[in-house]
Amino acid sequence: MELLSGTRKRAHATAAITLGSGKVRVNSIPVEVMEPRFARERIMIPLEIAGSLRDKININVDVNGGGFMGQADAAAISISRALITWFKNEDLKKRLTE
C-alpha cells in the first residue's frame, strides 16, 4: 500500500492505493456519488487520464481542512502522486503533469 499526500490552500489529502478493482473512495464515500458535481469532476481528472490502469487498483483518500474545492484539488493531487508512484510509468507521469 502506498500513502501519498497532496495539499491545496488549507486542505490536506492522503491517498492510499492498493491492488483492487477500480474503487475510489473519498472520506469513505464512493467518488461517483460525491457532491458538488464540480468537486467530483476535479477529483476524477487524474483517474480519467489513467484510463484502464484505474481498474487495477483501489484508492482511498482521506481529506480534511479547507473548502470543498480546496479539498477536491488536494484529493486530485494526492491521487495523481499515488498513480505515478504505483505504476512508475513515465508516459502516465507526463500526461498527469501536463
Side-chain angles (χ1 to χ4, degrees):
M1 177 170 62
E2 293 284 335
L3 290 174
L4 286 119
S5 64
T7 59
R8 173 73 173 121
K9 294 186 177 182
R10 293 187 178 263
H12 180 79
T14 302
I17 188 169
T18 58
L19 285 175
S21 58
K23 295 177 184 172
V24 179
R25 294 181 172 272
V26 178
N27 290 339
S28 301
I29 299 170
V31 73
E32 294 83 9
V33 298
M34 285 190 61
E35 291 295 332
R37 180 177 54 88
F38 299 115
R40 176 178 62 236
E41 289 174 357
R42 175 64 183 107
I43 294 169
M44 295 294 286
I45 290 172
L47 300 169
E48 291 168 1
I49 292 171
S52 63
L53 294 175
R54 172 190 174 180
D55 298 332
K56 299 176 182 180
I57 54 165
N58 289 339
I59 301 174
N60 290 312
V61 181
D62 291 322
V63 63
N64 57 47
F68 68 90
M69 284 310 290
Q71 287 186 354
D73 286 338
I77 291 167
S78 65
I79 289 170
S80 294
R81 289 179 179 167
L83 290 169
I84 290 168
T85 302
W86 184 267
F87 289 110
K88 295 175 179 58
N89 183 323
E90 286 299 318
D91 181 51
L92 176 62
K93 181 178 180 177
K94 182 182 174 191
R95 289 185 291 151
L96 286 169
T97 55
E98 285 181 347

